[in-house]
């Protein structure tokens, strides 16, 4: 074993700014995901998706920061100030949970990526001794077996399938085990806000390409989303969207990255902390 799990965790955390610098911290989390994907595009599919998702969270964090800026406190108008206080209290609570979700995912899975990249499957298995690590080991195990098949037979369908199944296992773990407790704490308004904010554009282009774009509210419908009939906070609703729209959109974006393209450019900018 090259390092203990705690040492890998410390390594992963050491590159991040303090939690109170939430915009900078989010940008670095996004950069780490993008970097892992760009270095290992054939295997670390989850990291590529996570980079775009983390960037979207960063946009929400910046929007919340602007909306709760001191200059918008309603000074001189008691009724407006009271309204602002109520809105800010609820918004800050919900956005704090969303920010926590971004941090929790990184804390849960970043060390495993670092260990796998740095020491392979043997290193990850040696470090993963806790029950919550089971799905990480399972996911990376499938990725590793698929990688071995593709090394022996380039483009092996069985190998490619295993790699994707492993990454989807990581994605499922992230959605169910790490994110769901965060979604459970959101207010009713926060759940609706999160549902409308759940969209990803993998195209990286100035004008989004519908083939590479996915939106929770478009997938289920605006009325269903607005009324809460369909909610990203509901694990079944969310996973159906992820499985039927997010993953296919990312796979479509990946297929056009064999040549220089806006998606790759966007990931490179994320990795350089420019987005």
């Amino acid at each position: 074993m090259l390092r203990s799990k705690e040492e890998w965790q410390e390594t992963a955390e050491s590159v991040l700014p303090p939690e109170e610098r939430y915009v900078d911290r989010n940008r670095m989390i996004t950069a780490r995901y993008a970097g892992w994907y760009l270095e290992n595009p054939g295997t670390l599919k989850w990291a590529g998706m996570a980079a775009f998702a983390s960037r979207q969270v960063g946009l929400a964090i910046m929007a919340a920061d602007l909306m709760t800026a001191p200059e918008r406190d309603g000074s001189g108008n008691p009724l407006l100030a009271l309204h602002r206080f109520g809105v800010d209290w609820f918004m800050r609570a919900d956005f704090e949970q969303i920010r926590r979700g971004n941090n929790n995912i990184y804390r849960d899975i970043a060390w495993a990526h670092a260990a796998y990249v740095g020491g392979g499957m043997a290193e990850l298995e040696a470090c993963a001794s806790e029950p919550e690590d089971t799905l990480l080991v399972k996911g990376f195990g499938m990725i590793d077996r698929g990688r071995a098949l593709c090394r022996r037979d380039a483009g092996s369908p069985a190998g490619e399938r295993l790699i994707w199944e492993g990454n989807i296992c990581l994605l499922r773990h992230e959605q169910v085990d790490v994110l769901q407790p965060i979604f459970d704490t959101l207010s009713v308004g926060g759940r609706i806000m999160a549902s409308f904010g759940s969209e990803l554009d993998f195209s990286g282009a100035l004008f989004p390409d519908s083939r590479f774009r996915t939106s929770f509210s478009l997938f289920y419908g605006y009325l269903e989303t607005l009324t809460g009939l369909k909610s990203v906070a509901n694990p079944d609703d969310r996973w159906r969207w992820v499985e039927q729209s997010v993953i296919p959109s990312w796979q479509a974006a990946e297929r056009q990255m064999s040549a220089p393209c806006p998606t790759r450019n966007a990931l490179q900018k994320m990795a350089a902390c420019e987005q």
Side-chain angles (χ1 to χ4, degrees):
M1 185 166 68
L2 298 175
R3 301 179 188 177
S4 67
K5 177 181 176 179
E6 290 72 24
E7 288 171 324
W8 283 114
Q9 287 175 321
E10 186 178 342
T11 298
E13 287 281 334
S14 66
V15 300
L16 301 183
E19 288 202 23
E20 58 268 21
R21 288 171 52 194
Y22 39 82
V23 173
D24 293 336
R25 187 178 176 90
N26 166 265
R27 189 174 288 121
M28 182 55 72
I29 288 173
T30 303
R32 293 286 282 170
Y33 293 151
W36 279 322
Y37 175 76
L38 289 170
E39 291 167 9
N40 307 273
T43 51
L44 301 186
K45 313 292 188 180
W46 178 91
M49 284 187 282
F52 282 95
S54 182
R55 183 181 66 169
Q56 189 71 7
V57 170
L59 294 175
I61 290 171
M62 286 189 285
D65 197 34
L66 288 172
M67 293 176 73
T68 57
E71 59 269 21
R72 302 186 70 250
D73 65 359
S75 297
N77 186 329
L79 290 177
L80 180 58
L82 182 62
H83 172 73
R84 285 294 306 160
F85 174 79
V87 170
D88 288 357
W89 191 88
F90 282 109
M91 278 190 58
R92 283 175 180 160
D94 286 327
F95 275 110
E96 173 62 19
Q97 291 304 316
I98 291 170
R99 187 188 67 80
R100 277 186 59 204
N102 189 233
N103 284 329
N104 288 357
I105 289 170
Y106 183 84
R107 193 171 293 119
D108 176 77
I109 205 167
W111 76 268
H113 275 75
Y116 180 72
V117 171
M121 198 61 208
E123 177 72 5
L124 178 59
E125 288 177 326
C127 295
S129 57
E130 299 175 29
E132 58 264 31
D133 298 332
T134 302
L135 285 178
L136 293 179
V137 173
K138 179 181 177 182
F140 277 105
M142 286 189 282
I143 291 169
D144 199 60
R145 293 195 300 276
R147 180 186 179 192
L149 286 174
C150 288
R151 279 181 169 176
R152 290 197 297 269
D153 179 14
S156 162
E160 294 288 347
R161 185 173 62 254
L162 265 175
I163 287 170
W164 268 107
E165 286 176 358
N167 278 279
I168 291 171
C169 181
L170 298 181
L171 181 58
R172 181 83 179 180
H173 163 67
E174 166 218 317
Q175 291 294 321
V176 175
D177 299 327
V178 183
L179 271 186
Q180 191 55 45
I182 297 294
F183 280 119
D184 288 342
T185 66
L186 297 182
S187 67
V188 173
R191 294 180 182 204
I192 293 173
M193 177 180 63
S195 296
F196 276 105
S198 293
E199 59 176 70
L200 295 166
D201 174 21
F202 296 122
S203 72
L206 182 61
F207 300 103
D209 188 321
S210 60
R211 293 173 299 168
F212 314 135
R213 180 174 179 268
T214 177
S215 163
F216 184 90
S217 58
L218 285 176
F219 182 78
Y220 281 113
Y222 287 116
L223 182 61
E224 290 82 356
T225 305
L226 184 62
T227 57
L229 289 174
K230 295 296 181 181
S231 173
V232 77
N234 180 301
D236 294 331
D237 292 345
R238 186 171 70 257
W239 186 249
R240 183 183 169 206
W241 170 59
V242 167
E243 200 169 39
Q244 296 184 20
S245 185
V246 176
I247 294 171
S249 296
W250 174 234
Q251 289 174 326
E254 264 213 325
R255 284 193 289 271
Q256 48 99 45
M257 277 201 289
S258 55
C261 65
T263 302
R264 180 174 293 280
N265 292 341
L267 283 162
Q268 289 170 338
K269 288 181 179 179
M270 288 184 228
C273 288
E274 295 174 4
Q275 283 194 355

